[in-house]
Amino acid sequence: DATIREIHHRVKNNLQTVAALLRLQARRLTEPGAAAALAEAERRVGAIAVVHDLLAQATGEVVPFDAVADHLVAMVRQTAAADIDGRTLVRTGSFGELDSQRATALSMALAELLANAVEHGDGEVRLHSVRKAASLRVVVSDAGPGFPAGFDIAASPRLGLRIVDTLVREELRGTLVIRRSGRRTEVVLELPDEAP
């Protein structure tokens, strides 16, 4: 256990170094699109580092995912400060514990969805989770205009959403649904407790 924790600690440190290098490079760029792409890469690497940080402190390969979600919300608040512009980012519910592989995939998916809601949405951004007997439901929502009619993630030019879709289907063996609920746009993830 001590050896595994040390490995996770070193992986976390290496990922934080990569994120710092991406941040430094982004600051030197004058092309906004290139700087934004590096910021997205930094966020993705940071999401993985959060999981490894908690694994370095835990015994075994199980992560208390509520702590991961809190770190992700704080990270998105920090990296998207210009886009938030006084709006709130709220997390409710409980995720429970996840094995390290599923925690890594879910953390990357949530980092993308939260950043997308902050950047393209409006009003309060909400992250809500419900742990059921054999599944986990996660909803990321905002009060923005939503997606255009007939929107297809697979054909979307947004790499982040395609990454989320792939992670949910292939790594988490779950489903992803985009819908309107009243005045809010919701991205709903339904994840089985254990991937087959």
Side-chain angles (χ1 to χ4, degrees), residues 123-160:
E124 181 179 77
V125 175
R126 298 176 188 161
L127 168 59
H128 181 69
S129 55
V130 178
R131 171 66 87 172
K132 298 180 182 177
S135 66
L136 174 63
R137 170 181 272 193
V138 182
V139 180
V140 176
S141 68
D142 67 76
F147 294 88
F151 178 78
D152 179 15
I153 291 178
S156 171
R158 295 180 185 168
L159 176 62

Side-chain angles (χ1 to χ4, degrees), residues 47 50-51 54 62-72 91 93-111 127 129 131 136 138 172 191:
V50 166
V51 174
L54 290 169
V62 175
V63 178
F65 202 83
D66 289 320
V68 173
D70 290 337
H71 284 295
L72 291 174
R91 185 184 82 77
S94 177
F95 288 89
E97 294 185 330
L98 295 174
D99 67 78
S100 61
Q101 184 175 351
R102 290 169 57 77
T104 300
L106 183 56
S107 69
M108 288 183 63
L110 290 180
L127 168 59
S129 55
R131 171 66 87 172
L136 174 63
V138 182
L172 298 167
L191 311 174

